[in-house]
Amino acid sequence: MDAHSAGHNLFNFGRRAVNAEHYRILRVSAFAEWSKVVARGLRRGLLVSKSLLVDTSSIGKFPQLLIKGINMTLPSSAQVVIIGGGIIGCSVAYHLTELGIRDVVLLERKQLTCGTTWHAAGLVAQLRATENMTQLARYSHQLYQQLEAKTGMATGFYQCGAVTLATNKARMEEVRRGAAMARNFGLECEELSPQQAQDMWPLMQVDDVLGAFYFPQDARTNPTDTTVALAKGARMGGATILEGVCVTDLIKQQGQVRGVVTDQGEVQAEIVVNCAGMWAHHFSKQQGVTLPLHAAEHYYLVTEPLAGMNKQLPVLRDFDNHAYYREETGKLLLGLFEPDAAPWGSKAIPEHFCFDELPPDWDRLTPYISAAMERIPALANTGIQLLFNGPESFTPDDRYCLGESAELKNLFVAAGFNSVGIQSAGGAGMVLAQWIKDGRQPMDLWEVDTRRMLPFQNNRQYLYDRTKESLGLLYQMHWPFRQYESARGVRKSPLHDRLKAAGACFGETAGWERANWYADADQKAEYQYSYGQQNWFDNNAQEHFAVRNNVGLFDQSSFAKFLVSGPDSQAVLNQICANNIAVPVGKAVYTQWLNQRGTIEADLTVTKVAEDEFWVITSPATQTHIHSWLKQHSPSDARLWIHDITSAWCVLNIQGPNSRALLQQISDTDFSDQKFPFATMKNVELGYATIKALRITYMGELGWELYIPSEFVQHVYDEIIKVGEKFSLKHCGYHSLNSLRIEKAYREFGHDIGADDTPLEAGLGFAVDFTKPEGFIGKQTLLDKKQQGLKKRLVQFQLHDSSAMLYHHEPIYRNGSKVGYIASGMYGHSLGAAIGLGYIHNDQGVTADFINSGAYEIDVAGKRIAATASLKPLYDPENKRVRC
């Protein structure tokens, strides 16, 4: 059947099921009787489908019917006020009361679940992109299993399992890697043949299927009933839940929230939590708070009853066709994640929106439904009861936003769940409640921490354009080094055009266009993705060896840079830094910032540029977080000022054994080891400019970072290029930086180190000064952990098979037993094999003897490959090349 014919049939089936000229299609919940249906009601007060005609005049009252006494008088104060009564807000309320915080008020503008929750598909998958996100999804699964017993409210939870299809070799490798990761995280996963998959799902055809993967623990639940159960549990714990109360503003004082303003009065509060779903962005923007998310149309289709559909069928995921399938009371539900989505509600979500749906676009969805007919042939001969279009919110990086806002103290957020809100709600509510109670995150939540976002991402046009791509990312190939295609060109170095002319292929980080690799003259500067050696592999090797053997040039202007100044700047910074930054002027200090748990919140350098001035240099992705952490941990009466100087200074990094000789050619400064020692910054004249040069490296070679006022950087670059011709200077990108740093076992925040890791476990004890008189945040906890002995250590690995590739999350085996996984990996051209960094765990302690006495294998897409493990860097373990 061609797409045109399929679309014609679909349209006729849709018209036959529901007369769209007279009635707007309405979703019927398939989990319970009509009294539990969540709907807005038709304009005539009737629910119409091919086989059902029911008066729905009382449906909108369902939350009150199910939870008697839910509405009470608006209190004048509360310890915590939660804005939004979807599953996220109700989960936060439930978990706060579980922790003993009972003075909780949840305010819902209309009725519980009326935004996105009511029309969610209710899938409860457990495997997520990282270990911590998987832990939170698993917690949701466990919570929903137990909720009925605790609250007396049925949730519709059912463990049906899930089957994921692979229809090409690349997808097969991706899912095999995911399956290995799942098993490493403690999830059950079984690889199936196409025939075995068809035996589980007899209605599907498998002619194009190479293999499948079965996750028996995956489940589904009724989103509405689960939310109502959470709400009842919260109310049993003492929380007050009020519907029909619209929060219109925040009460703020001296940079922190003090309560909320509603259409029925004010409520004073110590903590406010924004769980407003699609409305969360607009409300936050009005408060000057960064919370980037945007709604988009999101579709699923429900057929008439279909023979062979039963509750025991697992959820079926067909990523390559952007679809999932599940049973819906004897019918087939087809959900779609089309790669080119339709953003909605750009200016604002309508105030009246409540149990509403959007008109479906049959023409746009026809190709995807046609593909579904190929997968499930019976679909072509089955009536379609409805094509439902309900908006959900998506973030620029497809990860939700959780935690305390950067701009307003005591304002927390849990929003932007990218169509995985049901499976995420339990875990997100649990950790956010703990965060509120303890004043700190209970685990490493950096990947969803709202402070990873940057102010520019609040831009309406940016969000509109990125959301077109974001919705479909969940089901698209998760290629190594995959780059966003939408909303690009936001932040550019002044050298962007020069780098492009030199062959740069740009990637994007924190909105910055950065040269990831450089194409040869006869090569197109674009990615060709694969799980093997990608099209830029040889380019990466050339750049890598240029730095190891000669000299390379990196544009690192995207560095986030802060000037911290004032009479108290040193004292305050020395309390925040684990290392001692009370050093002579011109000295740079590598350090971590720790939390009260003694784990790592930041990894950066602090350079003393004057007696009361310091430069804090960090990665672009942590710009908001670093600024927020500085403000949060600076006493209110401190004589200290924090200035973000990121845009004022560009950075050119000259690295390699010939870097000294090159710089000596264009400056009168003495760059010798005696006059310009490691970790020293000096003012340097270069060409017509006066710049700051810092001798430091992240690649394991002799080199200097040149900090150049932005208006001078083009001139300085041109001078370097002119002289660089004598030295065969090579442009180098961030992929080379990564391969170089992994060979040298240099850590990267967000991958190898984070808020679950101490400096001691990460092998960074040299950057901690336990003796400095000021102490530092987390010192005593870190000392206690040191005394107790380490149960995990970060180790470097080299594969024995030089053709295999490491990226991240590949399981590590020691003597045949799982002991951890790779945190980051890349091909090490100098060492001639893939290199990875990963933590080894052992409850009895991880000593050097334990590490060195084991035989190691790494699971790469289901194949175990022998590897060498080392606590010392495999490249230049004595640091001779750095300090020459």
Side-chain angles (χ1 to χ4, degrees):
M1 178 184 297
D2 61 30
H4 177 78
S5 299
H8 181 73
N9 286 344
L10 287 170
F11 183 79
N12 287 337
F13 281 130
R15 292 298 190 204
R16 190 177 74 219
V18 178
N19 185 342
E21 292 181 0
H22 297 287
Y23 302 104
R24 298 179 70 181
I25 300 169
L26 188 66
R27 176 182 184 246
V28 182
S29 170
F31 298 102
E33 303 80 23
W34 71 268
S35 61
K36 293 183 181 178
V37 170
V38 185
R40 125 183 89 74
L42 300 178
R43 67 179 78 144
R44 295 189 182 181
L46 296 175
L47 177 70
V48 179
S49 78
K50 189 176 180 182
S51 58
L52 184 64
L53 183 64
V54 179
D55 184 353
T56 62
S57 58
S58 65
I59 288 178
K61 303 295 184 182
F62 86 98
Q64 294 93 323
L65 294 174
L66 295 178
I67 308 179
K68 294 182 179 179
I70 197 169
N71 284 326
M72 305 173 185
T73 304
L74 184 72
S76 60
S77 65
Q79 185 176 354
V80 182
V81 169
I82 299 168
I83 306 169
I87 193 168
I88 306 300
C90 290
S91 177
V92 174
Y94 173 87
H95 286 95
L96 284 169
T97 61
E98 286 285 289
L99 293 175
I101 301 176
R102 307 191 185 282
D103 188 12
V104 176
V105 174
L106 185 150
L107 304 177
E108 165 52 48
R109 54 182 282 277
K110 296 290 186 182
Q111 295 166 355
L112 295 186
T113 79
C114 72
T116 295
T117 300
W118 74 275
H119 61 72
L123 305 185
V124 190
Q126 296 182 84
L127 179 62
R128 302 293 292 142
T130 64
E131 182 177 21
N132 282 0
M133 293 301 102
T134 299
Q135 286 182 23
L136 297 189
R138 292 186 74 181
Y139 173 82
S140 296
H141 184 283
Q142 295 162 5
L143 173 68
Y144 301 160
Q145 264 186 316
Q146 303 162 3
L147 206 51
E148 181 175 353
K150 178 162 186 177
T151 66
M153 299 295 298
T155 63
F157 181 88
Y158 180 69
Q159 189 167 304
C160 57
V163 172
T164 297
L165 304 180
T167 61
N168 55 67
K169 289 182 179 180
R171 182 70 76 178
M172 196 72 181
E173 175 156 2
E174 178 190 66
V175 186
R176 271 189 179 140
R177 285 174 176 267
M181 182 174 71
R183 288 187 284 266
N184 199 47
F185 294 164
L187 300 179
E188 293 181 41
C189 181
E190 178 186 353
E191 184 170 339
L192 307 176
S193 69
Q195 184 59 54
Q196 288 173 316
Q198 190 177 48
D199 291 343
M200 283 191 173
W201 245 90
L203 286 174
M204 74 166 166
Q205 72 81 21
V206 294
D207 292 349
D208 61 335
V209 175
L210 299 185
F213 297 81
Y214 177 48
F215 297 84
Q217 296 169 316
D218 279 9
R220 43 186 275 199
T221 195
N222 181 328
T224 297
D225 291 350
T226 303
T227 302
V228 170
L230 287 167
K232 183 179 180 183
R235 190 166 170 269
M236 290 166 61
T240 299
I241 298 176
L242 302 177
E243 295 180 300
V245 181
C246 183
V247 176
T248 59
D249 203 353
L250 294 178
I251 304 170
K252 296 170 283 190
Q253 185 179 6
Q254 296 180 336
Q256 64 181 27
V257 70
R258 296 291 189 181
V260 299
V261 180
T262 79
D263 57 359
Q264 299 179 29
E266 295 185 355
V267 183
Q268 302 292 321
E270 298 173 20
I271 302 286
V272 174
V273 189
N274 183 353
C275 300
M278 296 183 291
W279 290 265
H281 165 70
H282 185 68
F283 181 77
S284 295
K285 199 169 185 179
Q286 290 179 320
Q287 310 302 322
V289 171
T290 301
L291 180 53
L293 56 89
H294 198 293
E297 297 181 6
H298 193 35
Y299 288 86
Y300 58 74
L301 175 153
V302 180
T303 71
E304 294 290 344
L306 178 59
M309 296 302 300
N310 59 75
K311 190 176 181 181
Q312 284 69 43
L313 283 174
V315 175
L316 180 65
R317 304 188 189 104
D318 189 2
F319 290 152
D320 294 317
N321 286 316
H322 319 288
Y324 67 86
Y325 308 83
R326 71 163 176 81
E327 181 270 349
E328 177 96 346
T329 60
K331 306 163 189 174
L332 173 68
L333 184 149
L334 160 65
L336 296 169
F337 283 89
E338 67 273 23
D340 185 14
W344 178 79
S346 181
K347 294 183 179 179
I349 307 299
E351 177 58 30
H352 64 76
F353 204 81
C354 177
F355 298 124
D356 284 275
E357 60 182 290
L358 306 176
D361 186 340
W362 284 90
D363 290 338
R364 196 165 64 81
L365 272 293
T366 291
Y368 307 108
I369 301 173
S370 298
M373 289 178 173
E374 297 294 329
R375 178 66 63 216
I376 313 292
L379 179 59
N381 299 309
T382 304
I384 296 174
Q385 192 173 79
L386 67 97
L387 177 63
F388 181 82
N389 179 6
E392 297 190 30
S393 57
F394 296 84
T395 62
D397 59 5
D398 228 29
R399 292 174 284 158
Y400 56 86
C401 293
L402 194 76
E404 189 173 14
S405 75
E407 296 88 354
L408 196 56
K409 187 173 176 58
N410 294 333
L411 174 64
F412 287 78
V413 63
F417 277 80
N418 304 283
S419 203
V420 294
I422 304 303
Q423 73 181 59
S424 304
M430 179 265 291
V431 291
L432 189 62
Q434 291 180 352
W435 195 336
I436 290 168
K437 179 178 182 291
D438 300 334
R440 61 181 183 270
Q441 54 182 301
M443 60 194 296
D444 187 355
L445 296 168
W446 170 246
E447 63 193 292
V448 294
D449 192 325
T450 188
R451 291 169 295 185
R452 76 189 185 277
M453 296 298 187
L454 293 154
F456 84 86
Q457 293 177 301
N458 249 10
N459 178 278
R460 187 170 65 190
Q461 188 62 49
Y462 168 84
L463 287 171
Y464 182 93
D465 291 344
R466 176 56 64 84
T467 300
K468 293 178 183 179
E469 180 181 11
S470 294
L471 182 146
L473 290 178
L474 189 65
Y475 276 24
Q476 289 197 36
M477 285 293 300
H478 299 90
W479 295 114
F481 311 104
R482 185 194 185 280
Q483 302 298 316
Y484 291 107
E485 298 174 0
S486 60
R488 293 289 298 269
V490 181
R491 307 169 82 182
K492 295 181 179 179
S493 159
L495 298 174
H496 181 87
D497 290 345
R498 282 169 165 79
L499 302 184
K500 184 177 181 181
C505 183
F506 294 98
E508 183 251 321
T509 296
W512 284 97
E513 294 294 319
R514 309 196 307 178
N516 278 349
W517 58 278
Y518 286 85
D520 296 333
D522 58 348
Q523 183 183 14
K524 204 167 184 179
E526 64 181 22
Y527 282 90
Q528 296 173 15
Y529 297 118
S530 78
Y531 273 94
Q533 297 178 1
Q534 296 188 12
N535 63 311
W536 47 268
F537 184 84
D538 291 339
N539 306 74
N540 176 214
Q542 293 170 28
E543 296 170 24
H544 185 105
F545 284 122
V547 174
R548 288 284 185 247
N549 302 325
N550 185 31
V551 60
L553 167 67
F554 298 80
D555 178 12
Q556 294 184 262
S557 300
S558 61
F559 275 168
K561 315 165 194 78
F562 297 93
L563 170 63
V564 182
S565 62
D568 295 332
S569 56
Q570 179 167 292
V572 171
L573 279 171
N574 229 7
Q575 177 66 206
I576 295 173
C577 296
N579 213 343
N580 193 343
I581 57 96
V583 293
V585 172
K587 193 69 177 173
V589 178
Y590 171 59
T591 185
Q592 286 77 48
W593 292 357
L594 309 184
N595 53 41
Q596 293 292 352
R597 297 191 294 129
T599 58
I600 300 170
E601 287 285 344
D603 180 71
L604 41 75
T605 59
V606 177
T607 303
K608 190 171 185 177
V609 297
E611 284 299 332
D612 59 355
E613 292 185 358
F614 295 82
W615 275 18
V616 177
I617 310 297
T618 186
S619 71
T622 60
Q623 185 172 353
T624 300
H625 176 53
I626 295 302
H627 199 184
S628 174
W629 192 267
L630 271 170
K631 290 191 299 180
Q632 184 181 0
H633 292 88
S634 297
S636 58
D637 59 349
R639 296 167 298 166
L640 172 144
W641 298 271
I642 304 166
H643 306 278
D644 189 330
I645 58 173
T646 300
S647 298
W649 295 82
C650 293
V651 182
L652 290 177
N653 198 345
I654 310 295
Q655 293 284 321
N658 279 330
S659 58
R660 176 182 286 130
L662 187 153
L663 290 172
Q664 203 68 75
Q665 287 277 315
I666 49 178
S667 175
D668 291 336
T669 299
D670 187 344
F671 287 89
S672 67
D673 189 50
Q674 295 76 21
K675 297 294 185 179
F676 211 136
F678 186 76
T680 298
M681 176 180 277
K682 289 186 177 185
N683 291 327
V684 169
E685 290 185 0
L686 199 159
Y688 299 144
T690 299
I691 68 172
K692 294 181 181 294
L694 172 62
R695 184 180 168 190
I696 204 163
T697 184
Y698 191 48
M699 294 84 160
E701 301 294 338
L702 175 69
W704 279 262
E705 292 174 355
L706 308 180
Y707 290 81
I708 308 158
S710 294
E711 66 270 30
F712 289 99
V713 70
Q714 292 185 1
H715 165 69
V716 171
Y717 170 86
D718 291 343
E719 291 296 305
I720 292 172
I721 294 301
K722 189 188 308 178
V723 175
E725 291 179 0
K726 303 176 184 177
F727 294 88
S728 299
L729 173 70
K730 191 165 188 62
H731 286 83
C732 299
Y734 275 83
H735 290 334
S736 295
L737 181 151
N738 199 39
S739 62
L740 291 160
R741 72 96 184 166
I742 287 179
E743 273 194 339
K744 194 65 174 73
Y746 288 153
R747 283 62 165 153
E748 182 176 1
F749 182 81
H751 292 279
D752 312 307
I753 52 178
D756 282 339
D757 314 306
T758 69
L760 304 179
E761 294 163 340
L764 298 173
F766 65 89
V768 177
D769 187 346
F770 287 107
T771 66
K772 62 177 179 173
E774 298 91 344
F776 55 87
I777 298 170
K779 174 183 175 179
Q780 189 55 53
T781 306
L782 194 60
L783 282 171
D784 292 343
K785 290 183 177 182
K786 184 178 182 180
Q787 186 173 6
Q788 293 164 6
L790 303 180
K791 296 182 179 180
K792 72 173 187 178
R793 296 281 294 276
L794 189 65
V795 178
Q796 188 181 35
F797 295 89
Q798 178 175 340
L799 294 184
H800 293 179
D801 180 351
S802 61
S803 66
M805 303 293 285
L806 291 176
Y807 299 112
H808 56 80
H809 287 105
E810 293 89 352
I812 302 168
Y813 289 83
R814 178 186 180 273
N815 296 342
S817 300
K818 287 181 288 188
V819 291
Y821 58 86
I822 296 296
S824 65
M826 196 151 181
Y827 199 88
H829 295 281
S830 303
L831 297 173
I835 309 298
L837 298 174
Y839 286 93
I840 289 179
H841 298 252
N842 183 38
D843 289 340
Q844 283 69 51
V846 181
T847 63
D849 286 343
F850 177 83
I851 291 167
N852 295 330
S853 63
Y856 294 91
E857 295 173 308
I858 311 294
D859 185 327
V860 180
K863 179 183 178 182
R864 294 192 192 180
I865 299 174
T868 297
S870 177
L871 280 171
K872 289 186 176 182
L874 292 167
Y875 177 83
D876 187 27
E878 305 301 325
N879 276 342
K880 293 179 179 179
R881 298 178 67 89
V882 173
R883 299 179 180 273
C884 60

